[in-house]
């Protein structure tokens, strides 16, 4: 399996090269040269496999055994997903939420890893992949040769940072720099990052937004000389390995549901995904393209609703041009679900490539279709950067609507939903504000009969104490201490290490990397 950039498809990379590179030099994101189909008897052969076993099956479809042997791949996966790291034996357990026979709802809990967020699923594996590739490369060097090292840089709106840090802390030959918007992540999220004091971990608090942080990271990767000097690696969901790792829990939940149903039951699964940077739901799209049966994927956004507006209008624009004519201005709205407070969803570019490719197949066949799609995506992303918007043809919008639908949720609805599910009977459930976005959208939909909804729960509620407490204020019997894990109780008082950057300036961040990177 080879990989190429969404903005220029001529150069192909191996899986190892793709993982270590992260972002393509032309600013594009790497995607597989083809999407493999599931093996003939997968529904029978995979039906009772554990999360690690499913991971091996899925990953092996995208990774050549010549790159990572089956033995090594199994060792990597088993070192990543085990009870020394994860608090639940299923890794991502599926919990029944409602017994409504017309449309039962389940919660797919993705927060049982070390940082209590879904990002752990991919970043624990990515950290082990980085180590595996670096160790192999350095082992092959002659005595006296300079060791190969990696400088990992990433931007976070909250959970990516801590998950990346926990995945890479103490790893030899790796330095990690995580940028977060100062004052715009929850206190627990900030503490999880900044209380890790390993020498290879560096937290950078940027006075700005997540999009500012993400733009700085992209600029660092685009700087050829800086990238070559420091051997930059990516941990954001721009890194293909993160998307690949996340496809596994769609399969796990599919089989978990099937085991609860009588044989021959005609049921369709509808995944509802709280969505910011589009990586989590994109993993579901790849699973669907591979052959996993499911209804349309449901994008659930907060007030930062660039994706919902795209599916409603075909306009991908930083601000709503029906309200503000100049789409180049505007900014991120601060909400109760800060991990989704994102203006431009990076991973959406990967979906745009598939939409562009299929549209070219339908409307302009002949020639190099892949390169035509790459050029289309490049033009679109250039327009997003320069004028803040694109308007796709109706034919492209219809292709997007075939596999997805989208809805938005505001803060009042988030509070109401947290309260509704906490006070519901017979089963009370405490949802974090991002999960509440998904729950509200799921409840607002009218799916066909025999549909089972699976709402992805992306974080433990204790990570967002202010939102949960404000939603449940005055509810009899609510005690936040009962929600709080033991690991969080001393977190806010621990020693911290963080570097403040006074404005979103790529040169200032370069200076920090130059000063602290392991050379």
């Amino acid at each position: 399996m080879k990989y190429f950039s969404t903005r220029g498809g001529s150069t192909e990379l191996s899986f190892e090269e793709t993982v270590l590179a992260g972002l393509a030099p032309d600013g594009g994101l790497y995607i597989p040269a083809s999407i493999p189909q599931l093996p003939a008897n997968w529904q029978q052969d995979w039906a009772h496999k554990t999360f690690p076993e499913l991971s091996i099956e899925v990953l092996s479809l995208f990774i050549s055994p010549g790159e990572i042997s089956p033995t090594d791949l199994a060792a990597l996966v088993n070192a990543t997903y085990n009870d020394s790291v994860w608090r639940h034996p299923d890794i991502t357990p599926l919990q029944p939420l409602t017994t409504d026979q017309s449309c039962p709802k389940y919660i797919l809990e993705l927060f049982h890893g070390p940082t209590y967020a879904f990002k752990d699923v991919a970043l624990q594996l990515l950290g082990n992949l980085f180590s595996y590739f670096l160790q192999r490369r350095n082992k092959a060097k002659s005595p006296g040769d300079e060791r190969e090292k990696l400088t990992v840089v990433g931007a976070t709106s909250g959970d990516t940072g801590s998950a990346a840090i926990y995945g890479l802390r103490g790893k030899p030959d790796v330095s990690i720099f995580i940028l977060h918007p100062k004052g715009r992540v929850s206190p627990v999220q900030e503490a999880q990052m900044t209380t890790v004091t390993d020498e290879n971990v560096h937290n950078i608090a940027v006075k700005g937004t997540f999009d500012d942080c993400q733009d700085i990271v992209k600029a660092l990767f685009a700087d050829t000389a800086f990238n070559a000097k420091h051997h930059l690696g990516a941990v954001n969901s721009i890194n293909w390995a993160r998307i690949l790792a996340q496809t596994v829990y769609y399969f796990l939940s599919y089989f978990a549901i099937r085991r609860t149903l009588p044989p021959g039951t005609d049921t369709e699964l509808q995944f509802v995904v709280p969505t910011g940077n589009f990586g989590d739901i994109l993993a579901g799209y790849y699973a669907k393209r591979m052959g996993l049966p499911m209804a349309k994927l449901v994008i659930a956004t907060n007030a930062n609703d660039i994706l919902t507006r795209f599916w409603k209008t075909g306009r991908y624009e930083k601000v709503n041009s029906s309200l503000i004519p100049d789409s180049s201005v505007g900014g991120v709205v601060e909400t109760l679900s800060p991990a989704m407070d994102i203006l431009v969803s990076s991973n959406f570019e990967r979906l745009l490539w598939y939409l562009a490719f299929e549209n070219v197949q339908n409307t302009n066949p002949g020639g190099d279709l892949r390169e035509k799609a790459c050029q289309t995506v490049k033009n679109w992303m250039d327009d997003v950067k320069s004028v803040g918007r694109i308007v796709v043809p109706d034919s492209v919008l219809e292709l997007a609507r075939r596999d997805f639908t989208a809805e938005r949720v505001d803060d009042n609805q988030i509070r109401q939903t947290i309260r509704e599910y906490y006070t519901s009977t017979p089963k009370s459930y405490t949802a974090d504000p991002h999960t509440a976005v998904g729950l509200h959208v799921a409840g607002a939909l009218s799916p066909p009969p025999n549909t089972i909804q699976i709402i992805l729960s992306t974080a433990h509620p204790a990570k967002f104490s202010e939102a949960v407490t404000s939603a449940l204020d005055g509810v009899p019997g609510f005690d936040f201490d009962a929600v709080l894990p033991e690991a969080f109780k001393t977190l806010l008082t621990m020693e911290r290490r963080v570097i403040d950057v006074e404005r979103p300036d790529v040169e200032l961040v370069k200076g920090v990397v130059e000063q602290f990177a392991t050379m």
Side-chain angles (χ1 to χ4, degrees), residues 125-144:
L125 178 65
L126 183 59
N128 287 334
L129 285 170
F130 281 156
S131 288
Y132 175 82
F133 291 138
L134 287 175
Q135 287 174 14
R136 186 166 67 181
R137 290 183 174 198
N138 286 326
K139 187 176 180 180
K141 291 181 179 295
S142 301

Side-chain angles (χ1 to χ4, degrees), residues 452-490:
I452 294 177
Q453 291 182 317
I454 298 177
I455 298 93
L456 275 61
S457 181
T458 56
H460 192 285
K463 298 194 78 167
F464 302 95
S465 58
E466 292 179 10
V468 174
T469 302
S470 68
L472 298 178
D473 183 41
V475 174
F478 172 69
D479 179 6
F480 190 76
D481 283 345
V483 178
L484 201 64
E486 284 296 322
F488 286 10
K489 292 182 178 178
T490 58

Side-chain angles (χ1 to χ4, degrees), residues 54-280:
L54 282 173
S55 292
I56 293 167
E57 296 288 356
V58 173
L59 268 59
S60 65
L61 296 176
F62 290 87
I63 304 170
S64 164
E67 281 204 76
I68 303 179
S69 71
T71 301
D72 283 358
L73 182 60
L76 276 166
V77 168
N78 289 320
T80 301
Y81 305 114
N82 58 66
D83 58 11
S84 70
V85 179
W86 298 85
R87 295 182 304 281
H88 196 286
D90 293 339
I91 308 300
T92 58
L94 194 67
Q95 306 286 5
L97 190 62
T98 67
T99 56
D100 180 2
Q101 293 304 308
S102 62
C103 183
K105 290 180 173 61
Y106 287 77
I107 287 282
L108 181 58
E109 292 185 341
L110 307 177
F111 53 73
H112 291 277
T115 70
Y116 295 77
F118 83 98
K119 310 291 179 73
D120 289 322
V121 176
L123 285 165
Q124 285 292 306
L125 178 65
L126 183 59
N128 287 334
L129 285 170
F130 281 156
S131 288
Y132 175 82
F133 291 138
L134 287 175
Q135 287 174 14
R136 186 166 67 181
R137 290 183 174 198
N138 286 326
K139 187 176 180 180
K141 291 181 179 295
S142 301
D145 287 351
E146 184 179 354
R147 292 182 65 82
E148 188 157 338
K149 298 180 180 180
L150 192 67
T151 303
V152 173
V153 293
T156 186
S157 55
D159 288 331
T160 293
S162 56
I165 287 168
Y166 276 66
L168 289 170
R169 62 187 301 181
K171 299 278 188 188
D173 302 315
V174 178
S175 297
I176 178 169
F177 295 81
I178 294 295
L179 286 66
H180 72 267
K182 185 176 177 66
R184 292 195 176 207
V185 298
S186 80
V188 168
Q189 287 174 318
E190 182 181 355
Q192 280 187 311
M193 292 186 286
T194 58
T195 57
V196 177
T197 57
D198 296 61
E199 289 186 1
N200 71 323
V201 174
H202 310 282
N203 283 284
I204 303 175
V206 178
K207 191 173 182 180
T209 67
F210 167 75
D211 288 86
D212 293 328
C213 296
Q214 189 161 247
D215 287 344
I216 290 171
V217 169
K218 289 180 178 179
L220 294 177
F221 276 93
D223 187 324
T224 306
F226 188 84
N227 195 336
K229 178 180 179 181
H230 292 285
H231 304 286
L232 299 186
V235 289
N236 285 85
S237 53
I238 57 176
N239 194 307
W240 164 250
R242 279 193 53 182
I243 306 300
L244 178 56
Q246 290 171 188
T247 62
V248 176
Y249 43 72
Y250 287 89
F251 287 91
L252 188 80
S253 56
Y254 169 79
F255 287 117
I257 291 292
R258 280 192 61 184
R259 288 193 291 271
T260 69
L261 301 174
T265 304
D266 183 20
T267 299
E268 189 167 46
L269 299 187
Q270 181 181 68
F271 290 96
V272 183
V273 188
T275 303
N277 222 16
F278 205 74
D280 208 5

Side-chain angles (χ1 to χ4, degrees), residues 384-401:
V384 170
K385 185 175 183 178
S386 61
V387 299
R389 76 169 67 149
I390 57 170
V391 182
V392 301
D394 289 345
S395 55
V396 171
L397 180 58
E398 289 308 309
L399 291 172
R401 288 173 172 170

